Amino acid sequence: MQIGTLYGIGVGPGDPELIPLKGLRRLQTAPVVAFPAGMGGKPGIAQQIIAEWLSPQQVQLALNFPYVQDESVLKQAWQEAAEKVWQYLQQGLDVVFASEGDASFYSTFTYLSQTIRELHPEVEVQIVPGICSPLAAAAAIGIPLTYRAQRLAVLPALYAIEELEMALDWADVVVLLKVSSVYEQVWGVLKQRGLLESSWVVERVTQSQQVIYNNLSDRPHLNLSYFSLAIVQVPNSKNNKAAVGNISPL
Ligand SMILES: C[S@@+](CC[C@H](N)C(=O)[O-])C[C@H]1O[C@@H](n2cnc3c(N)ncnc32)[C@H](O)[C@@H]1O
């Protein structure tokens, strides 16, 4: 019997209308739909985004991906998730995995697909891209994320403040993911460099609870959710100084 295909679908940052058409088609026609399990018994974010597009006939598969650093715990969770998915693939059923944002951009889908490939190399894996959070945040603020020759740095998580310093020395625009746990330290660096007025924090972009914080000068403390990111424009960088004219928020 032919085995099923595993699809990784980027379902966008929150607004269910931001699921790309191709991903939506896959989502609605798949017999099995998987997604990261939520915490504390609540539905996870990807599950919330896709809920209105699913039908009762589809199998819904919540997969556990613990938020820990311990490699052995993580590996075991990925293997368990991969085996759960394999149960359906081996019956010839396609499985669609819904990934918040894009499925290739710091997504749990990467671990799932890698583990499936290791355990069952015969499985075909396909990715349908989605809108990732920095792009949605730039649109919500009303700025181009980058233009002309601007260099973009994305820091997925800040484990040392020197990494931010290096990024600000090199890039014209810096995106900081997972900024919630390090916001105060980030604020200190931005203040020192005079960048608070050209920085934004966007929380839960495109979701009903979306908040945009602009001009961070009087916001040394913010109580942010995990789903928050910062965009920092560096007006004095080499490229930005050379740019003709300024592009300000819409
Ligand atoms: C593990 S990464 C996942 C990125 C996701 N795959 C994407 O394409 O945007 C998680 C981080 O992305 C950012 N993020 C994801 N969704 C977001 C949203 N809706 N609003 C703001 N930030 C978000 C946050 O910084 C969060 O800590």
Side-chain angles (χ1 to χ4, degrees), residues 51-227:
E52 67 184 77
W53 302 113
L54 300 183
S55 65
Q57 294 82 357
Q58 291 176 291
V59 174
Q60 296 192 28
L61 199 58
L63 302 174
N64 280 310
F65 297 102
Y67 288 93
V68 295
Q69 301 287 337
D70 187 327
E71 274 289 313
S72 60
V73 175
L74 287 171
K75 271 205 154 165
Q76 192 180 335
W78 300 338
Q79 284 182 356
E80 283 170 15
E83 285 306 345
K84 272 192 185 175
V85 167
W86 172 245
Q87 296 308 313
Y88 294 97
L89 295 174
Q90 68 173 347
Q91 296 173 48
L93 299 172
D94 290 343
V95 178
V96 159
F97 180 87
S99 179
E100 194 259 346
D102 179 79
S104 316
F105 188 68
Y106 305 111
S107 166
T108 41
F109 182 68
T110 302
Y111 310 120
L112 177 64
S113 60
Q114 256 180 13
T115 311
I116 277 274
R117 279 184 175 131
E118 279 163 26
L119 297 174
H120 305 286
E122 65 275 37
V123 173
E124 187 189 345
V125 178
Q126 288 187 23
I127 295 180
V128 181
I131 299 169
C132 66
S133 50
L135 298 181
I141 297 165
I143 52 169
L145 186 58
T146 49
Y147 60 98
R148 290 181 184 261
Q150 285 187 324
R151 291 188 287 196
L152 173 68
V154 178
L155 299 186
L158 212 58
Y159 298 114
I161 217 70
E162 297 81 58
E163 291 172 11
L164 175 58
E165 301 272 12
M166 280 193 299
L168 292 170
D169 286 340
W170 175 83
D172 308 296
V173 180
V174 178
V175 170
L176 300 170
L177 302 178
K178 297 188 183 166
V179 72
S180 56
S181 57
V182 287
Y183 176 75
E184 270 91 23
Q185 292 105 295
V186 168
W187 190 88
V189 173
L190 298 181
K191 182 177 166 61
Q192 245 176 18
R193 290 186 175 237
L195 293 173
L196 289 168
E197 286 177 19
S198 58
S199 299
W200 292 263
V201 169
V202 185
E203 190 173 13
R204 293 189 171 278
V205 69
T206 79
Q207 300 170 17
S208 56
Q209 314 95 312
Q210 172 182 295
V211 185
I212 298 175
Y213 299 96
N214 56 9
N215 187 356
L216 303 178
S217 304
D218 52 359
R219 303 184 196 278
H221 309 286
L222 284 176
N223 190 12
L224 297 168
S225 86
Y226 170 79
F227 291 101

